[in-house]
Amino acid sequence: CCVILPRFCITCYLTWIGSRWLIATANFCDLILNSVGLEFILHLKDVMYLALVPRRSMLDLEDTTIRPTTQKEPESLSVLIATLGWAVLAVAWVVAYMGLPGYNGLQQVL
């Protein structure tokens, strides 16, 4: 809880700010550059972990993880429905943020 909640809050904040930042981009070249910059910020914690933590500590941390019982998730209808649910949630976020014709949505940039 002490790790998951702050990470979730930071991810939600970066999603909000990143959406505002990307939607305010004027041309395609800048959009690509800004998306690469946003992806760098999202993966910065992993890059810093690999650069700063000693190899021995990484190996010790790997020994403390709980490994899943199966290497591959089994194919089932519930997995398909969960994946489609995430896709619907992503589309709903874009529509709610950008809006529809005649409705501004949540963004205040444009």
Side-chain angles (χ1 to χ4, degrees):
C1 180
C2 295
V3 174
I4 295 173
L5 185 62
R7 181 178 278 185
F8 178 75
C9 292
I10 290 170
T11 302
C12 288
Y13 180 73
L14 284 175
T15 300
W16 180 262
I17 295 299
S19 297
R20 292 179 57 104
W21 191 38
L22 290 177
I23 204 167
T25 304
N27 60 20
F28 187 72
C29 183
D30 289 339
L31 177 68
I32 298 297
L33 187 62
N34 288 344
S35 0
V36 169
L38 184 60
E39 187 70 17
F40 174 77
I41 290 171
L42 289 173
H43 283 62
L44 188 60
K45 64 179 174 48
D46 299 327
V47 171
M48 289 183 66
Y49 173 76
L50 291 173
L52 299 176
V53 175
R55 180 75 180 143
R56 178 70 187 157
S57 297
M58 288 182 196
L59 292 173
D60 288 341
L61 184 63
E62 283 180 17
D63 290 339
T64 61
T65 59
I66 300 173
R67 291 188 170 57
T69 56
T70 60
Q71 292 295 329
K72 182 180 174 189
E73 190 171 19
E75 298 172 4
S76 68
L77 184 60
S78 62
V79 173
L80 175 66
I81 291 173
T83 303
L84 291 176
W86 282 111
V88 168
L89 184 66
V91 169
W93 168 254
V94 170
V95 169
Y97 191 78
M98 292 182 64
L100 296 171
Y103 173 69
N104 284 338
L106 300 174
Q107 63 94 10
Q108 301 295 323
V109 177
L110 300 176

